[in-house]
Amino acid sequence: MENQVIYAALLGLGTVGTGVYKVLKNQEEEMTAKIGTQVKISKILVRNKEKAAKKIGNALIITTDWEEIKKDESISIVIELMGGIEPARSYILEALEAGKHVVTANKDLLAVYGGELLDKAREHGADLLFEAAVAGGIPIIRPLKQCLAGNHISSIMGIVNGTTNFILAKMTQEGMEFEEALALATHLGYAEADPTADIEGLDAGRKVAILASVGFNSRVVFDDVYIEGITRITATDIRYAREMGCDIKLLGIANDTPEGIETYVCPMLIPSSHPLASVNDSYNAVFVHGDAVEDAMFFGRGAGELPTASAVVGDIFDIVRNIQAGCCGRIGCTCYKELPLKKMEDTKNCFFLRLQVEDRCGVLAEMTSVFARHQVSVAQIVQKATLKHDCAEIVVITSKVKEGDMRQAVEELGTSSSVKKIPACIRVYEK
Ligand code: NAP
Ligand code: HSE
């Protein structure tokens, strides 16, 4: 095979950008042997040149001027690793218009503007690949688009945020409360200085929008995903869940149902025997059900410098192969359907409800009549403990009920004089 060099530009030299630079350097010789072509980073766009130069010891290829990259006809691939919406969106659109191929890990952008960017790529016969945008180093976008293309995918659920999985794992294994586990995650560098996007479920919500779009061949955007984070989960909820043979995980759920697509992110009780329950620490996993393959699970590192770079470099290899074969743009947007979206109120789940109620005769009867009024069928009811001030802690597990009915029941219980507090209302995963 003839040895060639393909030039690429990196936009951003932070955690992932530095990882991609390192992995490409490590692969220099092997890449030529593997695919007969070397990819060289000839320009890197950053805001702070000095900081970047210290990282790679080569100031010559660093620039703060996007136009320099856009107009450089020798650059065939733009690797966007800056994050955020702007200027990333404009730069990707301009790169595609200039006939360059793009790799990005930017889930924030793809979860909102994925359709626009993929349309632009198709218009210009270019590749726009984004394996790293969901679950970092775990291959999931390419498997859904290619390896599992012969399936009707009906459900995708995953642990797609490492920070929250680490926090919940510490709360489970060491009995920590949320704040203590978050402080540990921050100390160990898992949680960012501002952890909001992780702990409030927004990061997972973006990934679920992308997974649903790719898995169900119908565009789902970030605003379509119902999101609840893990900030209200307590060590007591986890202890009670364990007593019932369950773990609590922040799950991203996407189901293609006859009534429409449902997408949500929320903490859920999941049986400890389910493969996702054993995904601990900062690991991610995505569990897919297809009509032909049945169940398949993808597991690994969902973030970090080298794991995320691994996915980005895999995309670069694919583009190089497409360039060599003259078939760029081969697998672009796969959203050929326009499926309806189901409202969260219409989804059905079992619920775990923890209530603190007056410890007196007749209270349980009052509660069950509230459930009955709202079509909430109770599967289990247990008095867990007698607390101070004649107060009892009750745990209720419902059958599968409509979210809207459950919300009304909880609202009415909240107004009852016998109910002192409703510390937890958590969905329970049931197949
Ligand atoms: P990061 O560490 O914050 O790095 C961002 C880089 O982009 C920095 O070098 C920054 O330069 C540069 N940058 C930002 N805005 C810029 C602008 N307007 N012009 C030029 N340069 C700009 O971010 P990261 O963690 O590497 O994440 C990069 C992307 O990968 C994001 O989309 C993220 O969601 C995604 N991702 C990250 C991970 C992960 O594990 N970190 C995993 C999966 C996906 P300065 O330092 O000079 O400001
Ligand atoms: N903040 C994310 C996580 C990694 O904790 O998994 C980037 O997607």
Side-chain angles (χ1 to χ4, degrees):
M1 216 186 290
E2 196 183 318
N3 284 348
Q4 288 182 335
V5 178
I6 285 183
Y7 293 100
L10 266 182
L11 313 187
L13 193 67
T15 306
V16 186
T18 309
V20 169
Y21 189 82
K22 285 183 192 167
V23 172
L24 280 175
K25 276 261 166 237
N26 289 346
Q27 278 285 318
E28 244 169 37
E29 276 179 30
E30 223 174 319
M31 198 170 193
T32 312
K34 275 179 188 161
I35 55 175
T37 300
Q38 229 184 66
V39 173
K40 277 196 186 299
I41 301 292
S42 57
K43 288 205 167 67
I44 302 179
L45 181 77
V46 293
R47 286 182 290 212
N48 183 330
K49 273 176 109 166
E50 287 69 36
K51 192 170 96 181
K54 273 190 207 147
K55 283 188 189 169
I56 57 162
N58 178 2
L60 294 176
I61 60 171
I62 296 168
T63 178
T64 53
D65 182 8
W66 160 243
E67 292 295 318
E68 221 183 275
I69 294 173
K70 188 174 103 179
K71 290 183 182 146
D72 187 335
E73 288 182 4
S74 71
I75 293 175
S76 309
I77 306 175
V78 166
I79 307 155
E80 186 279 306
L81 300 167
M82 301 184 299
I85 304 295
E86 286 295 351
R89 170 174 166 261
S90 301
Y91 291 178
I92 291 177
L93 290 171
E94 289 171 23
L96 294 167
E97 279 164 4
K100 301 181 193 306
H101 308 286
V102 174
V103 178
T104 179
N106 194 333
K107 60 217 167 229
D108 303 36
L109 180 63
L110 290 163
V112 181
Y113 294 103
E116 178 194 29
L117 300 175
L118 285 159
D119 284 350
K120 182 65 79 181
R122 180 163 45 202
E123 206 182 297
H124 293 273
D127 279 326
L128 168 64
L129 301 184
F130 51 92
E131 185 59 68
V134 178
I138 305 175
I140 185 63
I141 301 299
R142 193 170 281 96
L144 284 173
K145 284 198 178 205
Q146 300 186 33
C147 320
L148 298 175
N151 285 262
H152 171 81
I153 306 287
S154 53
S155 134
I156 305 171
M157 64 175 197
I159 294 171
V160 287
N161 184 269
T163 306
T164 45
N165 202 47
F166 176 84
I167 292 171
L168 291 172
K170 286 292 152 200
M171 290 174 74
T172 306
Q173 293 156 359
E174 295 175 32
M176 287 181 185
E177 282 299 349
F178 170 76
E179 290 300 339
E180 194 188 348
L182 171 61
L184 180 64
T186 309
H187 174 71
L188 295 176
Y190 290 121
E192 300 195 20
D194 177 0
T196 312
D198 292 322
I199 61 178
E200 295 295 355
L202 310 178
D203 176 74
R206 293 175 180 125
K207 294 166 182 167
V208 166
I210 299 169
L211 283 174
S213 302
V214 173
F216 305 148
N217 305 109
S218 183
R219 180 69 47 204
V220 175
V221 295
F222 177 62
D223 277 346
D224 298 327
V225 183
Y226 172 84
I227 294 169
E228 271 177 32
I230 62 162
T231 53
R232 287 188 302 234
I233 299 296
T234 64
T236 308
D237 298 322
I238 293 181
R239 201 175 66 244
Y240 287 171
R242 299 282 286 175
E243 285 170 17
M244 293 163 47
C246 290
D247 284 87
I248 297 184
K249 296 286 184 190
L250 183 72
L251 295 182
I253 305 276
N255 291 321
D256 180 8
T257 75
E259 302 81 39
I261 294 179
E262 45 185 51
T263 47
Y264 48 97
V265 169
C266 58
M268 289 185 94
L269 274 77
I270 181 166
S272 303
S273 56
H274 192 285
L276 283 176
S278 58
V279 176
N280 280 315
D281 301 325
S282 62
Y283 282 95
N284 281 196
V286 182
F287 195 84
V288 177
H289 186 86
D291 58 352
V293 73
E294 299 184 1
D295 289 336
M297 187 160 110
F298 302 80
F299 167 85
R301 285 274 177 216
E305 185 190 62
L306 295 180
T308 312
S310 158
V312 172
V313 173
D315 281 349
I316 297 171
F317 267 75
D318 237 17
I319 292 178
V320 170
R321 288 188 166 119
N322 286 348
I323 293 173
Q324 287 171 334
C327 63
C328 288
R330 197 169 55 91
I331 304 172
C333 182
T334 43
C335 292
Y336 62 89
K337 297 183 197 169
E338 277 186 39
L339 296 173
L341 296 166
K342 202 195 256 185
K343 286 198 189 103
M344 191 61 194
E345 288 80 350
D346 295 330
T347 59
K348 281 187 174 171
N349 274 301
C350 303
F351 284 83
F352 162 101
L353 189 65
R354 185 155 71 87
L355 303 113
Q356 289 170 8
V357 299
E358 275 181 24
D359 193 8
R360 63 167 172 79
C361 181
V363 170
L364 279 188
E366 270 176 45
M367 284 170 48
T368 49
S369 70
V370 172
F371 288 128
R373 253 196 305 287
H374 296 285
Q375 288 80 48
V376 171
S377 167
V378 172
Q380 261 187 64
I381 188 158
V382 186
Q383 180 160 340
K384 298 300 292 188
T386 303
L387 309 169
K388 284 181 195 158
H389 313 298
D390 296 329
C391 197
E393 182 148 73
I394 305 283
V395 167
V396 176
I397 307 293
T398 73
S399 304
K400 249 188 191 180
V401 298
K402 225 166 132 179
E403 172 93 16
D405 291 338
M406 186 65 193
R407 285 184 192 172
Q408 284 179 12
V410 172
E411 200 181 316
E412 190 179 334
L413 285 169
T415 61
S416 156
S417 60
S418 7
V419 176
K420 301 295 168 204
K421 204 172 166 193
I422 306 181
C425 178
I426 309 171
R427 295 168 192 82
V428 181
Y429 170 77
E430 198 186 88
K431 208 173 174 180

